């Protein structure tokens, strides 16, 4: 009777070993399809430093570029996920939320070209966008954060999706909260990310209604100052700093402005208008450290919205066109 028992034991052990091997193979494949901060350590070890140098150079030439690069990453991730689809020509770039407004494409192209010199076909444009946003923040005194890498690039972009899913300057608080929730971001994340408006500028066409609306709650003196560069008609593309006091520094002054009814865009001021996010704005206005910490955390969450990983998508040779 011993022989059959040995045979059964051997078969059972063989089955268990096979099951373990299959599980390890599955886990190995699953792990490879996850983002990791060490993704390029072996394939392109100088990628991060090369990109950082390109971003620092661009921001040193024009301080405003820091805000533009953070916004470029945001507008990419909100449409099809963080897949560099916004960089493809003649699609998302032409959405009304982007056209004549979103900028920094040439900075990403330049960083990509530098990386291609040493590691052709390795580093994705989507990853460069994510790193550029972080490096731009640091370049103007903002927080740093660990960027997980391994995104791949989309071969398509959608004008329709961009116009449907990107926020607008006239959105209500409820609409903003719903929009961000649809991307896995909380109302607190939304307020923190909106704090990037401590930098950058807006076009007259995006805030004209607010400064000339007699029913608006805008501070009268602030509105009067903004009218100088934004007439009732004409001057649509004239620019005004989102934060009048410290437009080139990453600080918490944006939130102090909102409490004083000096939010330039209607979608800024709704964050402090008697609604559910008032308490978060107040907290950030008191604690720059809390704001910076939450901003970094929210940027990490945003940068991981529906990335293309594994064998999905491609690594574009140039960021403005599919291979």
């Amino acid at each position: 009777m011993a022989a059959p028992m040995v045979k059964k034991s051997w078969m059972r052990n063989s089955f268990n070993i096979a099951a373990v091997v299959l599980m390890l193979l599955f886990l190995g494949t699953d792990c490879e399809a996850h983002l990791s901060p060490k993704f390029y350590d072996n394939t392109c070890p100088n990628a991060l430093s090369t990109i950082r140098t390109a971003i620092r150079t661009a921001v040193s030439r024009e301080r405003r570029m820091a805000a533009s690069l953070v916004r470029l990453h945001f507008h990419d991730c909100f449409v099809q996920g963080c897949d560099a689809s916004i960089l493809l020509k003649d699609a998302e770039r032409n959405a009304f939320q982007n056209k004549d407004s979103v900028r920094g494409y040439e900075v990403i192209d330049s960083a990509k070209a530098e990386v291609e010199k040493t590691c052709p076909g390795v580093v994705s444009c989507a990853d460069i966008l994510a790193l550029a946003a972080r490096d731009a923040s640091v370049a103007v005194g903002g927080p740093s954060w660990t960027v997980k890498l391994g995104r791949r690039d989309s071969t398509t972009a959608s004008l329709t999706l961009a116009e449907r899913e990107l926020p607008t300057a006239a959105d209500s608080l409820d609409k903003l909260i719903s929009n961000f929730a649809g991307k896995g971001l909380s109302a607190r994340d939304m307020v923190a990310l909106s704090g990037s408006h401590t930098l950058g500028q807006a076009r007259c066409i995006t805030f004209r209604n607010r400064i000339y609306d007699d029913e608006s709650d805008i501070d009268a003196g602030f509105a009067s100052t903004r009218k100088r560069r934004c007439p009732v008609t004409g001057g649509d593309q004239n620019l005004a700093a989102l934060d009048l006091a410290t437009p080139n520094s990453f600080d918490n002054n944006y939130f102090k402005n909102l409490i004083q009814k000096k939010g330039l865009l209607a979608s800024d001021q709704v964050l402090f208008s008697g609604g559910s996010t008032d308490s978060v704005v107040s907290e950030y206005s008191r604690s720059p450290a809390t704001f910076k910490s939450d901003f970094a955390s929210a940027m990490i969450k945003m940068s991981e919205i529906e990335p293309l990983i594994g064998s999905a998508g491609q690594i574009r040779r140039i960021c403005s066109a599919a291979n």
Side-chain angles (χ1 to χ4, degrees), residues 76-83 85 92 154 156-158 161 165 306:
D76 177 47
C77 290
F78 259 56
V79 184
Q80 298 187 175
C82 304
D83 61 357
S85 55
E92 292 172 29
S154 171
T156 62
S158 173
L161 278 178
E165 299 189 0
E306 299 176 8

Side-chain angles (χ1 to χ4, degrees), residues 15 45 65 137 256:
F15 175 80
M65 186 55 68
S137 169
K256 296 178 182 178

Side-chain angles (χ1 to χ4, degrees), residues 292-315:
K292 287 187 176 183
S293 175
D294 283 4
F295 179 80
S297 296
M299 286 295 291
I300 291 172
K301 288 175 67 175
M302 187 195 76
S303 74
E304 296 175 11
I305 296 174
E306 299 176 8
L308 296 174
I309 53 179
S311 59
Q314 63 181 207
I315 305 297

Side-chain angles (χ1 to χ4, degrees), residues 79-80 83 85-86 88 90-95 98 154-166:
V79 184
Q80 298 187 175
D83 61 357
S85 55
I86 195 172
L88 293 170
D90 303 324
E92 292 172 29
R93 292 192 189 196
N94 293 325
N98 293 332
S154 171
T155 58
T156 62
S158 173
L159 172 63
T160 301
L161 278 178
E163 294 193 336
R164 186 174 72 206
E165 299 189 0
L166 287 171

Side-chain angles (χ1 to χ4, degrees), residues 117-134:
K117 290 178 182 178
T118 54
C119 310
V122 174
V123 181
S124 69
C125 300
D127 276 345
I128 292 175
L129 270 175
L131 289 164
R134 189 269 311 275

